[in-house]
mmCIF file of all heavy atoms in Angstrom:
data_model
loop_
_atom_site.group_PDB
_atom_site.id
_atom_site.type_symbol
_atom_site.label_atom_id
_atom_site.label_comp_id
_atom_site.label_asym_id
_atom_site.label_seq_id
_atom_site.Cartn_x
_atom_site.Cartn_y
_atom_site.Cartn_z
ATOM 1 N N PHE T 13 -0.850 -4.393 -8.731
ATOM 2 C CA PHE T 13 0.554 -4.157 -8.410
ATOM 3 C C PHE T 13 0.803 -2.704 -8.033
ATOM 4 O O PHE T 13 1.590 -2.406 -7.131
ATOM 5 C CB PHE T 13 1.429 -4.534 -9.605
ATOM 6 C CG PHE T 13 1.784 -6.006 -9.672
ATOM 7 C CD1 PHE T 13 1.051 -6.947 -8.982
ATOM 8 C CD2 PHE T 13 2.856 -6.427 -10.430
ATOM 9 C CE1 PHE T 13 1.365 -8.299 -9.056
ATOM 10 C CE2 PHE T 13 3.192 -7.769 -10.505
ATOM 11 C CZ PHE T 13 2.454 -8.709 -9.814
ATOM 12 N N ASN T 14 0.133 -1.777 -8.724
ATOM 13 C CA ASN T 14 0.366 -0.366 -8.468
ATOM 14 C C ASN T 14 -0.143 0.069 -7.095
ATOM 15 O O ASN T 14 0.495 0.895 -6.436
ATOM 16 C CB ASN T 14 -0.272 0.486 -9.569
ATOM 17 C CG ASN T 14 0.526 0.445 -10.861
ATOM 18 O OD1 ASN T 14 1.719 0.154 -10.857
ATOM 19 N ND2 ASN T 14 -0.128 0.733 -11.975
ATOM 20 N N VAL T 15 -1.270 -0.450 -6.653
ATOM 21 C CA VAL T 15 -1.737 -0.097 -5.308
ATOM 22 C C VAL T 15 -0.903 -0.818 -4.250
ATOM 23 O O VAL T 15 -0.674 -0.295 -3.156
ATOM 24 C CB VAL T 15 -3.241 -0.375 -5.107
ATOM 25 C CG1 VAL T 15 -4.080 0.443 -6.057
ATOM 26 C CG2 VAL T 15 -3.582 -1.848 -5.235
ATOM 27 N N LEU T 16 -0.433 -2.008 -4.592
ATOM 28 C CA LEU T 16 0.373 -2.766 -3.639
ATOM 29 C C LEU T 16 1.749 -2.138 -3.440
ATOM 30 O O LEU T 16 2.298 -2.156 -2.334
ATOM 31 C CB LEU T 16 0.510 -4.214 -4.129
ATOM 32 C CG LEU T 16 1.334 -5.191 -3.288
ATOM 33 C CD1 LEU T 16 0.879 -5.197 -1.833
ATOM 34 C CD2 LEU T 16 1.229 -6.584 -3.872
ATOM 35 N N SER T 17 2.302 -1.558 -4.498
ATOM 36 C CA SER T 17 3.653 -0.987 -4.414
ATOM 37 C C SER T 17 3.663 0.510 -4.129
ATOM 38 O O SER T 17 4.722 1.134 -4.137
ATOM 39 C CB SER T 17 4.421 -1.272 -5.711
ATOM 40 O OG SER T 17 3.743 -0.741 -6.834
ATOM 41 N N GLY T 18 2.505 1.106 -3.893
ATOM 42 C CA GLY T 18 2.450 2.504 -3.491
ATOM 43 C C GLY T 18 2.377 3.505 -4.622
ATOM 44 O O GLY T 18 2.429 4.714 -4.386
ATOM 45 N N VAL T 19 2.240 3.038 -5.853
ATOM 46 C CA VAL T 19 2.072 3.958 -6.980
ATOM 47 C C VAL T 19 0.727 4.671 -6.868
ATOM 48 O O VAL T 19 0.618 5.872 -7.137
ATOM 49 C CB VAL T 19 2.188 3.215 -8.325
ATOM 50 C CG1 VAL T 19 1.927 4.158 -9.497
ATOM 51 C CG2 VAL T 19 3.560 2.565 -8.464
ATOM 52 N N TYR T 20 -0.322 3.924 -6.492
ATOM 53 C CA TYR T 20 -1.647 4.487 -6.253
ATOM 54 C C TYR T 20 -2.069 4.214 -4.813
ATOM 55 O O TYR T 20 -1.690 3.191 -4.230
ATOM 56 C CB TYR T 20 -2.707 3.846 -7.167
ATOM 57 C CG TYR T 20 -2.460 3.958 -8.647
ATOM 58 C CD1 TYR T 20 -2.773 2.895 -9.491
ATOM 59 C CD2 TYR T 20 -1.940 5.124 -9.217
ATOM 60 C CE1 TYR T 20 -2.564 2.983 -10.861
ATOM 61 C CE2 TYR T 20 -1.734 5.217 -10.580
ATOM 62 C CZ TYR T 20 -2.040 4.143 -11.407
ATOM 63 O OH TYR T 20 -1.830 4.230 -12.740
ATOM 64 N N ILE T 21 -2.858 5.124 -4.277
ATOM 65 C CA ILE T 21 -3.514 4.900 -2.990
ATOM 66 C C ILE T 21 -4.911 4.383 -3.282
ATOM 67 O O ILE T 21 -5.681 5.038 -3.992
ATOM 68 C CB ILE T 21 -3.601 6.196 -2.163
ATOM 69 C CG1 ILE T 21 -2.193 6.696 -1.822
ATOM 70 C CG2 ILE T 21 -4.397 5.961 -0.881
ATOM 71 C CD1 ILE T 21 -2.180 8.041 -1.128
ATOM 72 N N PRO T 22 -5.281 3.199 -2.794
ATOM 73 C CA PRO T 22 -6.592 2.646 -3.134
ATOM 74 C C PRO T 22 -7.727 3.530 -2.654
ATOM 75 O O PRO T 22 -7.626 4.212 -1.629
ATOM 76 C CB PRO T 22 -6.593 1.284 -2.438
ATOM 77 C CG PRO T 22 -5.544 1.363 -1.390
ATOM 78 C CD PRO T 22 -4.511 2.310 -1.904
ATOM 79 N N THR T 23 -8.820 3.507 -3.403
ATOM 80 C CA THR T 23 -9.990 4.300 -3.058
ATOM 81 C C THR T 23 -10.619 3.814 -1.763
ATOM 82 O O THR T 23 -11.089 4.607 -0.944
ATOM 83 C CB THR T 23 -11.031 4.223 -4.200
ATOM 84 O OG1 THR T 23 -10.406 4.611 -5.428
ATOM 85 C CG2 THR T 23 -12.214 5.122 -3.918
ATOM 86 N N SER T 24 -10.628 2.505 -1.560
ATOM 87 C CA SER T 24 -11.188 1.936 -0.338
ATOM 88 C C SER T 24 -10.584 0.558 -0.114
ATOM 89 O O SER T 24 -9.930 -0.012 -0.988
ATOM 90 C CB SER T 24 -12.722 1.840 -0.427
ATOM 91 O OG SER T 24 -13.105 0.985 -1.494
ATOM 92 N N GLY T 25 -10.824 0.022 1.087
ATOM 93 C CA GLY T 25 -10.315 -1.288 1.440
ATOM 94 C C GLY T 25 -8.976 -1.220 2.157
ATOM 95 O O GLY T 25 -8.413 -0.142 2.364
ATOM 96 N N ASP T 26 -8.470 -2.386 2.546
ATOM 97 C CA ASP T 26 -7.219 -2.465 3.290
ATOM 98 C C ASP T 26 -6.246 -3.430 2.620
ATOM 99 O O ASP T 26 -6.641 -4.505 2.150
ATOM 100 C CB ASP T 26 -7.469 -2.954 4.721
ATOM 101 C CG ASP T 26 -8.161 -1.899 5.577
ATOM 102 O OD1 ASP T 26 -7.725 -0.743 5.534
ATOM 103 O OD2 ASP T 26 -9.128 -2.248 6.280
ATOM 104 N N ILE T 27 -4.969 -3.040 2.605
ATOM 105 C CA ILE T 27 -3.893 -3.921 2.175
ATOM 106 C C ILE T 27 -2.988 -4.128 3.380
ATOM 107 O O ILE T 27 -2.456 -3.165 3.941
ATOM 108 C CB ILE T 27 -3.087 -3.312 1.017
ATOM 109 C CG1 ILE T 27 -4.006 -2.990 -0.162
ATOM 110 C CG2 ILE T 27 -1.980 -4.277 0.583
ATOM 111 C CD1 ILE T 27 -3.318 -2.208 -1.267
ATOM 112 N N VAL T 28 -2.833 -5.374 3.788
ATOM 113 C CA VAL T 28 -2.047 -5.701 4.973
ATOM 114 C C VAL T 28 -0.876 -6.583 4.559
ATOM 115 O O VAL T 28 -1.065 -7.633 3.948
ATOM 116 C CB VAL T 28 -2.903 -6.420 6.039
ATOM 117 C CG1 VAL T 28 -2.052 -6.782 7.257
ATOM 118 C CG2 VAL T 28 -4.079 -5.544 6.459
ATOM 119 N N PHE T 29 0.334 -6.137 4.882
ATOM 120 C CA PHE T 29 1.553 -6.869 4.541
ATOM 121 C C PHE T 29 2.355 -7.122 5.811
ATOM 122 O O PHE T 29 2.663 -6.196 6.556
ATOM 123 C CB PHE T 29 2.380 -6.065 3.539
ATOM 124 C CG PHE T 29 3.728 -6.656 3.245
ATOM 125 C CD1 PHE T 29 3.844 -7.898 2.640
ATOM 126 C CD2 PHE T 29 4.890 -5.968 3.574
ATOM 127 C CE1 PHE T 29 5.089 -8.447 2.371
ATOM 128 C CE2 PHE T 29 6.129 -6.501 3.301
ATOM 129 C CZ PHE T 29 6.227 -7.747 2.702
ATOM 130 N N ASN T 30 2.651 -8.389 6.061
ATOM 131 C CA ASN T 30 3.370 -8.771 7.283
ATOM 132 C C ASN T 30 2.728 -8.180 8.535
ATOM 133 O O ASN T 30 3.402 -7.709 9.456
ATOM 134 C CB ASN T 30 4.843 -8.347 7.203
ATOM 135 C CG ASN T 30 5.703 -9.389 6.507
ATOM 136 O OD1 ASN T 30 5.374 -10.583 6.488
ATOM 137 N ND2 ASN T 30 6.809 -8.964 5.930
ATOM 138 N N GLY T 31 1.394 -8.203 8.538
ATOM 139 C CA GLY T 31 0.646 -7.766 9.715
ATOM 140 C C GLY T 31 0.448 -6.270 9.840
ATOM 141 O O GLY T 31 -0.162 -5.805 10.802
ATOM 142 N N LYS T 32 0.939 -5.481 8.868
ATOM 143 C CA LYS T 32 0.819 -4.028 8.945
ATOM 144 C C LYS T 32 0.051 -3.486 7.748
ATOM 145 O O LYS T 32 0.270 -3.901 6.620
ATOM 146 C CB LYS T 32 2.207 -3.383 8.999
ATOM 147 C CG LYS T 32 3.006 -3.762 10.240
ATOM 148 C CD LYS T 32 4.362 -3.074 10.248
ATOM 149 C CE LYS T 32 5.159 -3.445 11.485
ATOM 150 N NZ LYS T 32 6.496 -2.796 11.485
ATOM 151 N N ARG T 33 -0.828 -2.525 8.011
ATOM 152 C CA ARG T 33 -1.597 -1.871 6.954
ATOM 153 C C ARG T 33 -0.678 -0.935 6.178
ATOM 154 O O ARG T 33 -0.004 -0.081 6.781
ATOM 155 C CB ARG T 33 -2.758 -1.096 7.572
ATOM 156 C CG ARG T 33 -3.741 -0.490 6.574
ATOM 157 C CD ARG T 33 -4.905 0.124 7.341
ATOM 158 N NE ARG T 33 -5.912 0.706 6.464
ATOM 159 C CZ ARG T 33 -5.907 1.976 6.052
ATOM 160 N NH1 ARG T 33 -4.940 2.800 6.449
ATOM 161 N NH2 ARG T 33 -6.869 2.434 5.267
ATOM 162 N N ILE T 34 -0.637 -1.076 4.850
ATOM 163 C CA ILE T 34 0.299 -0.284 4.044
ATOM 164 C C ILE T 34 -0.400 0.620 3.032
ATOM 165 O O ILE T 34 0.261 1.204 2.161
ATOM 166 C CB ILE T 34 1.303 -1.203 3.312
ATOM 167 C CG1 ILE T 34 0.581 -2.129 2.316
ATOM 168 C CG2 ILE T 34 2.122 -2.017 4.305
ATOM 169 C CD1 ILE T 34 1.523 -2.880 1.393
ATOM 170 N N ASN T 35 -1.704 0.775 3.154
ATOM 171 C CA ASN T 35 -2.482 1.524 2.151
ATOM 172 C C ASN T 35 -1.917 2.880 1.796
ATOM 173 O O ASN T 35 -1.830 3.242 0.627
ATOM 174 C CB ASN T 35 -3.915 1.753 2.657
ATOM 175 C CG ASN T 35 -4.702 0.489 2.761
ATOM 176 O OD1 ASN T 35 -4.200 -0.526 3.220
ATOM 177 N ND2 ASN T 35 -5.942 0.530 2.334
ATOM 178 N N ASN T 36 -1.547 3.657 2.804
ATOM 179 C CA ASN T 36 -1.207 5.052 2.576
ATOM 180 C C ASN T 36 0.291 5.322 2.661
ATOM 181 O O ASN T 36 0.700 6.485 2.742
ATOM 182 C CB ASN T 36 -1.949 5.937 3.581
ATOM 183 C CG ASN T 36 -3.458 5.805 3.443
ATOM 184 O OD1 ASN T 36 -3.991 5.930 2.346
ATOM 185 N ND2 ASN T 36 -4.147 5.552 4.546
ATOM 186 N N LEU T 37 1.101 4.286 2.631
ATOM 187 C CA LEU T 37 2.537 4.480 2.740
ATOM 188 C C LEU T 37 3.130 4.867 1.381
ATOM 189 O O LEU T 37 2.690 4.379 0.342
ATOM 190 C CB LEU T 37 3.209 3.191 3.240
ATOM 191 C CG LEU T 37 2.811 2.704 4.638
ATOM 192 C CD1 LEU T 37 3.576 1.428 4.972
ATOM 193 C CD2 LEU T 37 3.088 3.783 5.682
ATOM 194 N N PRO T 38 4.160 5.729 1.376
ATOM 195 C CA PRO T 38 4.816 6.069 0.113
ATOM 196 C C PRO T 38 5.569 4.871 -0.450
ATOM 197 O O PRO T 38 5.915 3.926 0.276
ATOM 198 C CB PRO T 38 5.767 7.206 0.495
ATOM 199 C CG PRO T 38 5.987 7.045 1.970
ATOM 200 C CD PRO T 38 4.718 6.472 2.519
ATOM 201 N N ALA T 39 5.845 4.918 -1.753
ATOM 202 C CA ALA T 39 6.438 3.776 -2.445
ATOM 203 C C ALA T 39 7.769 3.352 -1.830
ATOM 204 O O ALA T 39 8.028 2.157 -1.663
ATOM 205 C CB ALA T 39 6.616 4.106 -3.920
ATOM 206 N N HIS T 40 8.635 4.319 -1.465
ATOM 207 C CA HIS T 40 9.947 3.941 -0.940
ATOM 208 C C HIS T 40 9.827 3.237 0.415
ATOM 209 O O HIS T 40 10.614 2.348 0.727
ATOM 210 C CB HIS T 40 10.868 5.165 -0.834
ATOM 211 C CG HIS T 40 10.477 6.149 0.226
ATOM 212 N ND1 HIS T 40 9.578 7.168 0.008
ATOM 213 C CD2 HIS T 40 10.857 6.269 1.526
ATOM 214 C CE1 HIS T 40 9.436 7.885 1.107
ATOM 215 N NE2 HIS T 40 10.195 7.347 2.047
ATOM 216 N N THR T 41 8.822 3.614 1.196
ATOM 217 C CA THR T 41 8.610 2.946 2.488
ATOM 218 C C THR T 41 8.126 1.521 2.269
ATOM 219 O O THR T 41 8.534 0.599 2.985
ATOM 220 C CB THR T 41 7.592 3.732 3.332
ATOM 221 O OG1 THR T 41 8.067 5.061 3.523
ATOM 222 C CG2 THR T 41 7.394 3.078 4.697
ATOM 223 N N ILE T 42 7.260 1.334 1.291
ATOM 224 C CA ILE T 42 6.768 -0.010 0.979
ATOM 225 C C ILE T 42 7.904 -0.899 0.491
ATOM 226 O O ILE T 42 8.010 -2.072 0.892
ATOM 227 C CB ILE T 42 5.634 0.075 -0.054
ATOM 228 C CG1 ILE T 42 4.388 0.708 0.585
ATOM 229 C CG2 ILE T 42 5.295 -1.309 -0.607
ATOM 230 C CD1 ILE T 42 3.249 0.961 -0.374
#
């Protein structure tokens, strides 16, 4: 949940939501 909601930036891999990569987005943007 924390990497998905922007609390943490994952060490590796990709998180894609609604077709867009959100790995490095700040929490408020997510």
Side-chain angles (χ1 to χ4, degrees):
F13 275 19
N14 285 337
V15 298
L16 179 52
S17 58
V19 176
Y20 302 142
I21 297 174
T23 306
S24 62
D26 288 314
I27 303 172
V28 179
F29 173 64
N30 274 335
K32 297 181 180 179
R33 187 174 181 269
I34 63 170
N35 293 43
N36 299 309
L37 297 180
H40 69 273
T41 302
I42 291 175

